[in-house]
Structure formats: C-alpha cells, structure tokens
Amino acid sequence: MKISRQTFLRMSAVSALAAAARRLAAAVSKTRWAMAVDTAACARQPNCTKCIAACHQAHNVPAMPDPRHDVRWIAKVSFGQAFRGQEDEYSPLRAAPAMVLCNHCDDPACVRVCPTQATFKREDGIVAMDFHRCIGCRYCMAACPYGSRSFNWLDPRPYIHNPNPDFPTRTKGVVEKCTFCSERLGTGRPPACVEACPEKALVFGNVADPRSPIRELLGSRRHIRRKPEAGTGPEIYYIV
Amino acid sequence: MRDRALIWSGLLIFLGILTLPIWHNLAAHVTAKGPDPVLPAREKQCVAPLEFMKSSHMTLLLDWRDRAVREGEREYTTADGRHYALNLSSTCLAQCHAAKADFCDRCHNYAAVSPPCWDCHLDRSPR
C-alpha cells in the first residue's frame, strides 16, 4: 500500500488527537479509591472483629498459631499503637480502637523497592500485588512505614480452616497484604470489611469525585492519617 | 559342542535383558493410548476452540492472569461473543473442570509436567 504525504499527515493528526482525547477522558473520569475510618463509630462495639473475620475469610488469610508467623490484612490496634506519639495520657482517644490496613499510599515505598514489580500501583490508586511474581525478598516489608505487610514463613494452607475457593491462597515465601478488595471492586461490590461493619464505621469511596460520600465526610469531619510525615501519602483517613 | 547349554542359557538371558522394556510395560499396563481427560458433562463449549485449548491453554491462562491482576479486568469475552468471569477458580474449575485429578492431572501426568497453579489456586474437587 502506498501512502501519500497528505494521508500520512492526516493519519498522524487523527491518532495524536485520539491519544490526547483518551488521556483527557482518563483525567476527567479519574478514580482514586480511599477509606475513612470513623473511630467513634468503631468504638461503639469494642469487641467486634467482624471486618477482620470477613476479610480474612474472603482472602484465605491463615490463622497462624504462633504470633511470630502472623498474617494480617486488617487488624484492630489501639489508637496509641496506630498513631505513635499522637496520644497523651488524658486523651479520650487513648481507648479508641483503630483499624489498620494497607494505606494504599499515593507514593508507596513498597512499590519503589519491589525488584520484580510484584507490587504495583494501579490507575485507581490501589497498591496491588501480583502474588505470582513475588519472590519473597521482603524489601517491601522493610520499606512500608506502617507494617501493613505479612510474610508467609510457613505453608499457609494447613491454617486456612474454611477456604474460599474463589480466591487463591498463598505459598510459603510470599508476602501478602490488603488489596482493597480489587477482585470485589471489579464486580461492583464494596470491600469485604466495609460490607461486614455493623456500625458502618468504614466508609469506602472515590476521593477524586468531590460529590462522593467519602469526600463529604472528609470535608466536614476532623480527620488524621497515619505517619503523614513519611511522605507516602496514605489514603486511609481516621475520623477523630 | 560341550558348551551348548551354557550358550543357550546365555542367549536366553541376553534376549530377556534386550526385551526388558516390553515386559516392564506389559507389567505396568502401559498402553500406546494418549491421556484420557474426563470432559465436563454439561458444558459442551470451552472459552476457546478445542485445538487452541489443547495447545495453548497455558498462554490463555497467563493472559487472563495479567488482565485480571494488572488491568483489573474481570470479564472475558470469547471470540464468538460469550461472556465469562475472568477467573481460573470460578470459571474453569467451578463450572467445568471441578475434578482436577480427572482432567488437568491426566494430561499433565502423561506429559510429566507439574505446573504450580494449585500451589495457590484451590482444587474444587468434592472431598
């Protein structure tokens, strides 16, 4: 096929325009998943661990007998543990629980250090993991300022008592963490922890959309983030 | 010809050793037949033509992995327009090939390959 100069220029212009339009569309319809944790609502049920149970059931997270081998995607810790140095002796927040999970940072340290790109950042802000590619070097665990990652020191299979056949397990020597339920978001469902919370203390949404419920919440209530000084831009907000 | 007995017994032993593979295979019930995977009872159509799946199912699954994990795609459209969940566990294993031992393993054992899929993905065989 012979292409004249005019056709070539026309084709180049059209493809450049199409590429620009695509980028523009992506910028306009941007999604940035984030979560807000209402600590007061969470504190209303001090012994509740429904979000943890739902998450760990959905993702085949093993219940390791030895705490040194713990695998946790989401955990309940005290306010002081989650926000070191921010609590004081008289603060009412001392007793408040804090749900800690992967912060799905804007500039995640784990993604930077991963030598195999097993951990990567998706367009919608989720710090995702491709377990197939993880070589278990644990650089990400060293890099994460929040300790959000767990390593499988043992084969997890014997410690998964009621496996969910729709989600894979991991093997020995693989790092794992919260994936913001990307597999559920793909089919239009909210994360398992959000769905399981009886107090609706976990609010999940798109912070790139100024009219989303999470943005309204963050715009009206005082909130903090874990270790913002680490510069990673955590996207889990704690309403205090 | 005083060594006749010795020569004949030696020859017999030699022939026995020479034909050992035949006796071994007869004893182990090895046949020239290929693997015989059990096909699903209900579904008659796979996500791709049979010949393609026979030769390239591993490539298809790697492509599915990259699409699901990297691109966040959760639906697969076949060449003839059918839709499936893009998921090894809930499409392939749940809908058609539940018994791994009767389907996957038959060919894999025959070809002496051991793909690590089931190190993580769960076998849905009824227990």
Side-chain angles (χ1 to χ4, degrees):
Chain A
M1 194 179 83
K2 202 166 184 304
I3 300 175
S4 69
R5 183 185 307 185
Q6 192 184 20
T7 324
F8 173 75
L9 287 174
R10 203 177 284 150
M11 275 163 63
S12 318
V14 168
S15 16
L17 268 177
R22 216 175 137 211
R23 288 188 71 167
L24 194 71
V28 168
S29 65
K30 201 171 179 303
T31 308
R32 195 4 172 150
W33 297 119
M35 189 185 282
V37 181
D38 189 336
T39 49
C42 185
R44 278 202 288 271
Q45 294 203 24
N47 298 321
C48 173
T49 53
K50 286 195 174 128
C51 53
I52 302 173
C55 170
H56 288 187
Q57 164 60 31
H59 301 114
N60 294 328
V61 176
M64 293 308 212
D66 187 338
R68 290 179 307 162
H69 302 147
D70 253 356
V71 177
R72 304 192 299 184
W73 284 32
I74 177 168
K76 193 179 204 172
V77 299
S78 70
F79 186 86
Q81 278 174 293
F83 297 91
R84 259 203 209 290
Q86 291 193 47
E87 88 285 17
D88 61 71
E89 212 177 324
Y90 312 110
S91 166
L93 290 170
R94 267 167 65 94
M99 298 313 304
V100 292
L101 61 154
C102 171
N103 278 286
H104 296 278
C105 305
D106 290 332
D107 190 3
C110 54
V111 171
R112 276 202 202 185
V113 298
C114 180
T116 61
Q117 292 176 18
T119 277
F120 58 99
K121 194 158 175 64
R122 305 199 328 176
E123 289 278 299
D124 56 7
I126 294 180
V127 177
M129 266 199 82
D130 184 348
F131 300 118
H132 301 93
R133 290 185 74 135
C134 177
I135 56 170
C137 71
R138 292 178 282 139
Y139 281 9
C140 55
M141 295 179 70
C144 176
Y146 308 102
S148 299
R149 291 171 163 272
S150 308
F151 185 66
N152 284 284
W153 292 98
L154 308 173
D155 177 16
R157 280 262 172 107
Y159 307 102
I160 304 167
H161 301 302
N162 181 21
N164 167 18
D166 287 330
F167 201 82
T169 67
R170 268 68 59 193
T171 52
K172 181 177 166 181
V174 168
V175 172
E176 58 183 278
K177 72 168 195 81
C178 156
T179 60
F180 248 6
C181 283
S182 53
E183 83 286 357
R184 290 169 63 98
L185 296 178
T187 55
R189 290 181 299 167
C193 56
V194 173
E195 207 172 71
C197 181
E199 294 288 343
K200 302 273 169 281
L202 305 173
V203 181
F204 181 81
N206 176 11
V207 284
D209 174 9
R211 284 182 303 276
S212 63
I214 186 168
R215 276 290 292 276
E216 276 172 32
L217 192 67
L218 293 178
S220 59
R221 304 275 300 275
R222 191 175 137 68
H223 54 266
I224 53 176
R225 293 183 295 172
R226 293 180 69 200
K227 296 188 190 168
E229 70 278 10
T232 57
E235 288 287 348
I236 308 291
Y237 298 87
Y238 293 84
I239 292 160
V240 291
Chain B
M1 298 298 272
R2 274 168 303 162
D3 295 338
R4 184 177 285 173
L6 204 65
I7 290 169
W8 278 109
S9 49
L11 262 177
L12 271 177
I13 292 171
F14 172 71
L15 276 177
I17 294 173
L18 197 71
T19 52
L20 191 68
I22 299 175
W23 310 123
H24 176 265
N25 278 3
L26 277 179
H29 301 292
V30 174
T31 61
K33 250 176 73 197
D36 187 24
V38 178
L39 298 177
R42 286 174 297 121
E43 287 286 336
K44 291 291 160 218
Q45 266 184 317
C46 193
V47 294
L50 179 68
E51 285 312 313
F52 175 81
M53 290 308 284
K54 272 187 183 169
S55 64
S56 314
H57 61 280
M58 53 301 245
T59 322
L60 179 104
L61 288 174
L62 289 184
D63 177 51
W64 277 28
R65 175 193 77 187
D66 291 342
R67 285 201 205 183
V69 178
R70 299 272 158 183
E71 322 292 337
E73 279 181 47
R74 294 288 159 181
E75 194 179 71
Y76 179 71
T77 309
T78 62
D80 53 358
R82 287 168 291 134
H83 299 281
Y84 290 94
L86 210 158
N87 188 319
L88 171 70
S89 295
S90 58
T91 299
C92 308
L93 302 183
Q95 293 181 25
C96 291
H97 310 296
K100 163 182 176 276
D102 292 342
F103 185 76
C104 315
D105 285 353
R106 294 256 171 120
C107 291
H108 290 160
N109 290 344
Y110 180 77
V113 291
S114 42
C117 309
W118 292 274
D119 290 357
C120 294
H121 293 276
L122 288 150
D123 174 16
R124 287 184 178 250
S125 310
R127 262 160 278 206

